[in-house]
Amino acid sequence: MNPIDTGFICPVPELAENPQISSLIARCAQLAMLLEVSASPKPGNVDREHNYPDTYFEHFISSSVSVYPVIELAARCRNGIGALIRSAVCESSAWQKGGNTHFGAFLLLIPLSMAAGELFNSRGKTQYKLLPDEFEALAVHAHAFVQATDCEDAVEFYRAFEVAGVRVNSVDEFNLGDPESTSELRAKEVTLYELMDIARGYDLIANEWVTGFRRCLEGANCIIEFMQAQSPGAENSVSNCSGTGINEAIVYTFLRLLSRHRDTFIETKFDKDTADYVSARAGEILSAWEGASGNIESSDNITRDFEDLLPAVQEFDSELLKKRINPGSTADIIIASLFIALLGGLRF
């Protein structure tokens, strides 16, 4: 196979920084993508048990592996987010024929990888692991990177759509399907962050950029909380129905985030009412499992037998798959959440 020549246009930094840092960050990103698509049952989305007619589990696996060099470069870069996004999309498309698999995830992973590289390189240490109180610092650094994007980042972002074939709402007057939009972007000097700010009300990933990756942090903390609560006294060690607990942590966190935040991919593909129904149903399933209080913050509730939750989740999964309703934006948030948790030392 001959991958597409992505032709990075962002400045490639000299290899003065510790290469172990960028390698660690890229592997955490890869593992996050692989864990997310492997998790099952994850209502409505492709996983190890279910494919979509044109997009299979193997397509996501291929995409996850293919983008290693782009994420590794992102961990060494301090600018060029737009070019990195386009490069990630090109690499993903070169290695599989299932169409768009990780576009939203790349939008999150690239600035977070840049932030992780900056944080780790500033320490002068040989051990690289985010402490729990450093999660917020990671988000702050990532937010600073996206705020610093320029017009060329916006142009590169639009060019990525020529490859990705993403279903998305166009950003007001800047039609994603119109090649002339890039000229308008340059004429008006619109930055990529400004585009995301325009889209924040109807796109979950754009909202993450503008609000400082809050849902990504929420998901990371939920995954870690679940893993630790399942095995009190044994940090990051879980023994339950998957043998490690990570599958259950992902499914639980997926439902939790879906219940709290309307999935804008569903809203774009269908409508707001459908997205609201999916979120409400996810909340009902969690509430029924956790008891009448519906308190999803309690570690006592989290430690309940996960197998009791599975029948309702599997039924919900079947319903969404039959209707072709896939909460793709939530899956992207889960990937970023796993990435942060893995940077924090989560092992299973």
Side-chain angles (χ1 to χ4, degrees):
M1 175 169 291
N2 296 313
I4 293 173
D5 180 7
T6 54
F8 300 126
I9 66 169
C10 55
V12 178
E14 296 181 2
L15 293 175
E17 299 174 342
N18 187 341
Q20 291 180 331
I21 294 174
S22 55
S23 175
L24 169 67
I25 292 168
R27 282 180 286 171
C28 285
Q30 278 189 307
L31 182 54
M33 288 186 280
L34 292 168
L35 287 173
E36 184 279 327
V37 73
S38 299
S40 179
K42 199 172 66 264
N45 284 333
V46 172
D47 59 30
R48 59 189 176 203
E49 301 291 339
H50 303 106
N51 295 315
Y52 264 64
D54 300 318
T55 308
Y56 302 158
F57 174 74
E58 292 84 356
H59 293 140
F60 284 85
I61 297 295
S62 300
S63 176
S64 301
V65 172
S66 72
V67 297
Y68 178 92
V70 183
I71 301 297
E72 195 274 339
L73 178 59
R76 294 188 284 118
C77 283
R78 303 296 177 261
N79 52 41
I81 288 180
L84 288 163
I85 291 169
R86 181 168 66 87
S87 296
V89 170
C90 288
E91 287 294 340
S92 174
S93 298
W95 287 86
Q96 49 87 23
K97 298 179 180 180
N100 169 43
T101 54
H102 288 115
F103 190 87
F106 297 152
L107 288 173
L108 300 173
L109 288 174
I110 286 171
L112 287 169
S113 295
M114 294 168 68
E118 184 175 61
L119 278 173
F120 288 154
N121 274 295
S122 67
R123 292 176 170 179
K125 298 179 181 179
T126 56
Q127 293 295 322
Y128 301 104
K129 172 182 173 181
L130 288 180
L131 301 175
D133 60 357
E134 291 180 309
F135 284 9
E136 184 68 36
L138 179 74
V140 168
H141 281 254
H143 193 211
F145 280 126
V146 299
Q147 287 178 303
T149 56
D150 58 21
C151 182
E152 286 307 307
D153 290 311
V155 169
E156 289 298 313
F157 173 75
Y158 267 61
R159 286 176 175 169
F161 283 87
E162 298 173 10
V163 180
V166 182
R167 183 188 293 271
V168 68
N169 288 315
S170 291
V171 181
D172 288 357
E173 70 270 27
F174 304 112
N175 185 350
L176 292 172
D178 183 2
E180 297 301 319
S181 289
T182 55
S183 298
E184 295 178 27
L185 290 172
R186 286 199 174 99
K188 297 181 180 181
E189 297 184 343
V190 179
T191 72
L192 182 50
Y193 184 80
E194 288 171 338
L195 287 180
M196 295 297 180
D197 194 22
I198 294 170
R200 65 185 298 183
Y202 53 83
D203 186 272
L204 196 61
I205 307 305
N207 193 276
E208 283 297 278
W209 268 47
V210 176
T211 60
F213 303 90
R214 308 320 300 173
R215 293 173 186 84
C216 299
L217 293 179
E218 178 186 352
N221 289 323
C222 181
I223 291 167
I224 293 170
E225 177 185 332
F226 187 101
M227 294 289 283
Q228 293 178 346
Q230 287 282 13
S231 186
E235 183 179 3
N236 294 340
S237 176
V238 179
S239 178
N240 62 8
C241 57
S242 77
T244 66
I246 189 62
N247 183 72
E248 287 72 17
I250 296 170
V251 172
Y252 174 82
T253 303
F254 183 88
L255 286 170
R256 176 172 168 177
L257 293 181
L258 185 59
S259 71
R260 290 182 166 188
H261 310 290
R262 181 191 308 129
D263 191 288
T264 51
F265 185 82
I266 297 175
E267 186 174 357
T268 298
K269 186 176 180 180
F270 294 90
D271 51 43
K272 179 178 178 293
D273 289 342
T274 302
D276 285 340
Y277 163 75
V278 171
S279 290
R281 185 72 188 110
E284 290 169 1
I285 292 170
L286 283 178
S287 294
W289 178 58
E290 292 162 344
S293 67
N295 179 9
I296 62 177
E297 302 292 347
S298 169
S299 60
D300 291 337
N301 285 331
I302 290 176
T303 57
R304 296 170 70 115
D305 191 346
F306 190 85
E307 290 184 354
D308 292 342
L309 178 64
L310 288 178
V313 181
Q314 289 166 341
E315 182 180 353
F316 187 35
D317 188 24
S318 297
E319 175 191 357
L320 297 190
L321 288 169
K322 183 177 180 180
K323 296 177 179 177
R324 298 290 300 275
I325 299 173
N326 53 318
S329 296
T330 305
D332 293 330
I333 299 291
I334 290 293
I335 290 172
S337 299
L338 282 163
F339 175 61
I340 295 170
L342 290 166
L343 287 175
L346 177 69
R347 300 295 183 265
F348 48 89

